[in-house]
Amino acid sequence: MAGLARRYYDTADAVRSSGEARCRAFLKDWRSEAEIKEISRQAFVHRIWNLTDLMLAPRFLRAETYDRYGGRIPEPYRRLLLEAQQHGQPVILVTTYYGPYDLLPLFVGHNGVRANAVYRPHPNRRFDRYRQSVRTLAGCEMLTHSGAAMGISEALANGRTVAILIDPTEVHKGTPISFLGVPSRVPRTVGLLAERYGAVVAVAAVRRLSESFQFRLVVSDYFGPNDWREQRDVTDYITRRYCGAIERLILEVPELFLWLRNASAAARRADHPRGERESGAERIVNGAGLVFAKQKE
């Protein structure tokens, strides 16, 4: 599959130029031009692998085998999530288009975490039915994006875990941020829900480790009401903090991010004035004097 993906990518000029444009828009201050081209190429391979992993998951990932393939949530986060569940503490699990993200609900369920996941239906209805059947194999309940509001509120009120996918590289209405140095906006939904229900926010993703069917679950940040108790604008704090965690995930292994999405919009913003960059994951956000604090994995 990787060989076919590379051959297709190398000969499909429109696909290649779109992927490189999007990578360049967000990574030109972080990687060289040669690195950006290779990241875009590898990201396309990972996109094909993601589809392959989805097809293989029902065969390999079961309650008695998921750990063999790297599906265990690392400690202490697995314990913390299970304790939150036991005590009725709601959790918002934030992820993004990174790695085989379709498998995250499956891994979470096999780890014993009861979760609801918000998703956008795929336009191909047959494929969408198949994808949802895989995502729900470990007991995760899916909530369609269009009708998720009531389901999310009910789940959080009952102390459950809700998984939400956020893409800070897309321009939304909401909180203005600087993401990888590019001005963007992200919805305030996660922050508002976490503040209202006193929910813990966990930022996590699945990393593919090699050409074999092997993965690692990565938790980039885990924080809760005690962390924002002294904040004047709680929603703003939560929003910026989880976006900082997503940013760190992408910078660590950028080829795992699904760059080939709405590349033209990203390219139009490529020359937008950049936010001032600090070392590592710290940066001034949108000139407002707010800084993403460094968090240890």
Side-chain angles (χ1 to χ4, degrees):
M1 294 302 294
L4 290 172
R6 293 188 185 102
R7 285 194 287 274
Y8 177 80
Y9 181 87
D10 290 341
T11 57
D13 293 340
V15 172
R16 186 173 62 256
S17 61
S18 295
E20 290 178 1
R22 188 164 176 80
C23 284
R24 190 176 297 110
F26 288 94
L27 296 178
K28 68 179 183 180
D29 285 354
W30 306 89
R31 297 291 191 273
S32 68
E33 180 63 19
E35 288 174 320
I36 286 172
K37 289 183 177 181
E38 183 58 25
I39 288 169
S40 176
R41 188 171 186 254
Q42 282 300 108
F44 185 78
V45 172
H46 276 281
R47 183 173 186 177
I48 302 304
W49 274 341
N50 291 351
L51 178 60
T52 309
D53 293 337
L54 186 68
M55 301 301 175
L56 293 175
R59 176 181 175 185
F60 291 108
L61 299 180
R62 299 184 297 276
E64 63 274 16
T65 63
Y66 79 96
D67 197 14
R68 182 188 312 168
Y69 299 102
R72 181 174 290 269
I73 298 172
E75 297 293 355
Y77 304 109
R78 184 175 187 269
R79 173 179 56 81
L80 292 172
L81 288 169
L82 292 176
E83 287 178 353
Q85 180 174 275
Q86 182 181 1
H87 295 101
Q89 167 71 55
V91 176
I92 300 176
L93 178 62
V94 179
T95 192
T96 190
Y97 292 105
Y98 183 91
Y101 60 92
D102 277 321
L103 300 187
L104 187 58
L106 190 56
F107 283 132
V108 167
H110 281 318
N111 275 270
V113 179
R114 298 189 302 273
N116 296 75
V118 181
Y119 79 102
R120 290 181 182 274
H122 193 276
N124 184 316
R125 294 182 180 180
R126 184 177 179 183
F127 173 71
D128 187 65
R129 286 194 299 270
Y130 176 80
R131 185 172 64 168
Q132 300 320 319
S133 70
V134 175
R135 287 171 163 179
T136 56
L137 282 174
C140 183
E141 298 180 18
M142 308 304 295
L143 301 172
T144 59
H145 188 272
S146 59
M150 184 175 296
I152 291 174
S153 297
E154 182 179 350
L156 293 175
N158 290 325
R160 290 175 63 91
T161 295
V162 173
I164 299 177
L165 188 148
I166 299 290
D167 183 3
T169 66
E170 296 294 327
V171 177
H172 303 274
K173 295 180 180 179
T175 299
I177 64 168
S178 175
F179 190 79
L180 295 173
V182 178
S184 187
R185 287 181 175 269
V186 292
R188 293 168 58 85
T189 308
V190 172
L192 290 169
L193 289 169
E195 181 180 12
R196 177 176 180 181
Y197 292 100
V200 167
V201 178
V203 183
V206 181
R207 281 187 180 152
R208 205 177 202 284
L209 297 184
S210 65
E211 292 189 3
S212 61
F213 193 75
Q214 287 291 327
F215 311 93
R216 176 181 297 150
L217 269 67
V218 180
V219 179
S220 183
D221 202 356
Y222 188 97
F223 60 102
N226 289 337
D227 296 287
W228 61 68
R229 195 179 306 279
E230 304 299 326
Q231 297 296 320
R232 295 180 60 184
D233 188 335
V234 172
T235 300
D236 185 81
Y237 170 83
I238 295 170
T239 302
R240 295 182 187 279
R241 181 158 171 174
Y242 83 69
C243 285
I246 293 175
E247 186 179 55
R248 290 191 296 276
L249 279 172
I250 294 174
L251 286 177
E252 287 168 1
V253 192
E255 60 268 26
L256 288 178
F257 189 68
L258 185 58
W259 293 106
L260 197 58
R261 299 181 64 254
N262 298 331
S264 59
R268 288 196 296 270
R269 291 188 287 143
D271 296 323
H272 197 288
R274 319 285 282 190
E276 181 182 353
R277 185 174 63 209
E278 299 294 323
S279 61
E282 294 184 343
R283 67 180 60 259
I284 302 298
V285 179
N286 208 36
L290 299 174
V291 180
F292 287 142
K294 285 184 177 179
Q295 301 294 325
K296 293 183 179 179
E297 242 184 60

